[in-house]
Amino acid sequence: SATSLHGEQRVTVGVVPDVMSRHASETRAESLRKLTAAAGLNKGKNAVLLCLDDADHQVAACNAVGRALPDFTLKSRKRAPASLSIACALSKGTYVKVTALTKDIVQRAREAARFVDTPPTDLNPGAFAAAAKKLLRAVPGVKITEFVGDALLKKKLGGIHAVGRTALSAPRMLVATVNPTKKKHVALIGKGVTYDTGGLHIKGRGGMETMKADMGGSAAVLGAFLALAKHHKKTKLTLIMCLAENAIGPRAYKPDDVVTMHSGKTVEINNTDAEGRLLLADGCSYAARVLKADTLIDAATLTGAQGVATGAHFAAVVSNNEDVERALCDAGRSSGDQCWALPFGPEFFRSEFASPVADMRNSVKNRSNAQVSCAAEFVHWNVDGSGARWGHIDLAYPAFRMNRGTGYGVALLVDAVQRLS
């Protein structure tokens, strides 16, 4: 990188490792992020030259630079404006033109990070939906529908309604579609809990802080849809953002309540802090049964157990289809948004949700038995029988690292949809 400092030029050279572990992305995106973050590019005019092993690494490399320089701030002391230019070249000296799609992915990932960083009172369900609609309306051909408050019940979206009905800003489901004439139909569904108190099973001190990031899944699918709607015309695409604030109030859903989901399944609530799966299950069922999408990919900051299982750098993937699972994992290595597949096994995990009065409970009885796969299975159970291929991305830790949104998932989803089209 080169930086102008008091009229002089400063040049910083960063070297990424030649040797990688076998599960690391060949793009070395995380190493590039670290080097960029340490280079001091947050003021003045800056330029970054990325020397790539392969031209196909440009998305991951450029996205890593953007991820290293988050721009959301509410500090009263404003810093001087900074600018950054990026150029890519191969090691043999040939320059690689950065494509329009790459530029859009980086822009959308940075938007997603800004959404995650925004305070929850500023980005409640209504405000998030309004911001999303403004972005969506700028893309030609996108059709938008929104179900708000009690209108959710008319559409049988009882899970989304239950989670968010007591908040000041009503729960809602935002649906956007593009390329309606195409035969293949991929739906991207995002968990958008704009703040998670835990509900009546309220989180303890230290557990509620950072829960503004619980809408990272919806931020990711929104960014990916915006990029795909502009650059990918092969496939009918649907975006579903399931938006709610898991608040406390007189209308809050309660432990022991039984909620009827869009799938028709009944759920006995035994943990109001296991709310995201209620949103996702409704959104996925609606996509499969009403919109007839043949492939569903959901993204969610769903479980703290994801961090235990796959860590801060790899999202967890669970899928009922080998092709979808492979596409997501391959897309992770290619895009730099790395992920790892975990077991899919309804016959092993459904018994964890056994209820004496309903079809299932919403939280497991044994928290040591593959929590990430169990939470994913709750969602899958609500689309089982629809015939849809389904892939689930639990990005709880990769979406929010070092107390900042990362925009994780945008590049991953764009790449995966292209592979599945």
Side-chain angles (χ1 to χ4, degrees):
S1 65
T3 305
S4 176
L5 187 64
H6 303 304
E8 300 177 357
Q9 292 291 319
R10 183 183 70 194
V11 177
T12 303
V13 177
V15 180
V16 298
D18 288 329
V19 179
M20 305 170 299
S21 60
R22 70 185 187 92
H23 291 151
S25 169
E26 292 181 355
T27 66
R28 297 168 175 83
E30 177 58 15
S31 294
L32 288 171
R33 184 202 65 79
K34 288 180 179 178
L35 289 170
T36 305
L41 306 179
N42 57 358
K43 58 183 177 180
K45 292 183 178 181
N46 307 281
V48 173
L49 173 62
L50 297 167
C51 296
L52 309 177
D53 289 341
D54 191 303
D56 289 340
H57 294 177
Q58 68 167 267
V59 169
C62 293
N63 208 31
V65 173
R67 183 167 290 163
L69 302 167
D71 61 355
F72 179 87
T73 182
L74 292 176
K75 292 178 183 271
S76 58
R77 185 177 179 181
K78 302 299 182 185
R79 61 191 180 204
S83 65
L84 176 68
S85 300
I86 301 176
C88 295
L90 299 179
S91 55
K92 61 183 179 182
T94 307
Y95 278 95
V96 179
K97 183 178 180 180
V98 176
T99 67
L101 176 58
T102 296
K103 293 177 182 177
D104 217 16
I105 288 171
V106 174
Q107 176 189 346
R108 300 309 182 185
R110 286 171 66 76
E111 285 173 352
R114 283 195 291 272
F115 281 131
V116 170
D117 282 339
T118 302
T121 300
D122 297 336
L123 196 78
N124 59 34
F128 195 6
K133 286 185 287 187
K134 182 177 180 180
L135 293 170
L136 290 164
R137 286 171 180 150
V139 181
V142 174
K143 300 291 179 65
I144 304 169
T145 307
E146 186 178 12
F147 308 114
V148 181
D150 289 346
L152 293 166
L153 295 178
K154 295 179 181 178
K155 297 296 180 180
K156 300 182 180 179
L157 299 164
I160 301 173
H161 183 270
V163 171
R165 69 192 180 203
T166 198
L168 289 174
S169 181
R172 62 202 64 217
M173 189 172 80
L174 182 65
V175 182
T177 302
V178 72
N179 308 328
T181 62
K182 302 300 180 182
K183 289 185 178 180
K184 286 188 176 180
H185 185 182
V186 177
L188 305 178
I189 303 99
K191 172 188 171 183
V193 176
T194 59
Y195 200 68
D196 183 16
T197 67
L200 292 179
H201 281 129
I202 193 166
K203 293 177 183 290
R205 176 73 173 86
M208 202 182 303
E209 291 81 356
T210 75
M211 283 298 104
K212 65 178 182 179
D214 214 12
M215 35 59 65
S218 267
V221 296
L222 172 62
F225 179 87
L226 287 164
L228 287 163
K230 187 175 178 181
H231 298 282
H232 183 74
K233 306 297 183 182
K234 294 182 179 180
T235 310
K236 180 178 179 179
L237 295 169
T238 294
L239 165 72
I240 296 182
M241 297 172 66
C242 307
L243 305 177
E245 180 183 340
N246 190 18
I248 296 171
R251 296 187 67 209
Y253 78 127
K254 305 171 184 67
D256 297 335
D257 276 350
V258 174
V259 176
T260 301
M261 306 293 290
H262 183 270
S263 64
K265 297 283 195 301
T266 55
V267 178
E268 179 189 10
I269 303 302
N270 66 329
N271 183 0
T272 62
D273 198 17
E275 83 297 331
R277 62 199 65 182
L278 299 173
L279 274 68
L280 282 181
D282 269 0
C284 287
S285 178
Y286 186 88
R289 295 189 168 90
V290 177
L291 302 181
K292 306 300 182 184
D294 48 73
T295 302
L296 317 174
I297 304 177
D298 75 63
T301 52
L302 201 64
T303 65
Q306 177 272 307
V308 177
T310 57
H313 300 288
F314 291 78
V317 167
V318 179
S319 179
N320 69 346
N321 181 274
E322 187 173 355
D323 291 338
V324 173
E325 178 185 288
R326 186 183 301 113
L328 287 167
C329 291
D330 289 349
R333 294 178 76 100
S334 175
S335 69
D337 283 357
Q338 298 187 119
C339 50
W340 191 256
L342 294 183
F344 167 78
E347 62 269 46
F348 300 113
F349 303 133
R350 286 188 183 178
S351 59
E352 291 291 345
F353 298 100
S355 166
V357 297
D359 294 322
M360 63 190 84
R361 285 177 167 150
N362 73 315
S363 188
V364 295
K365 58 186 176 183
N366 180 3
R367 295 179 68 84
S368 297
N369 183 20
Q371 270 197 71
V372 180
S373 289
C374 284
E377 178 51 36
F378 179 94
V379 179
H380 169 258
W381 199 348
N382 281 269
V383 298
D384 199 14
S386 69
R389 302 187 300 177
W390 163 83
H392 166 76
I393 307 165
D394 191 337
L395 41 71
Y397 277 62
F400 191 74
R401 293 171 49 205
M402 296 169 287
N403 292 311
R404 295 302 298 246
T406 64
Y408 178 96
V410 175
L412 169 66
L413 288 163
V414 170
D415 193 319
V417 169
Q418 291 176 317
R419 292 171 187 269
L420 291 167
S421 299

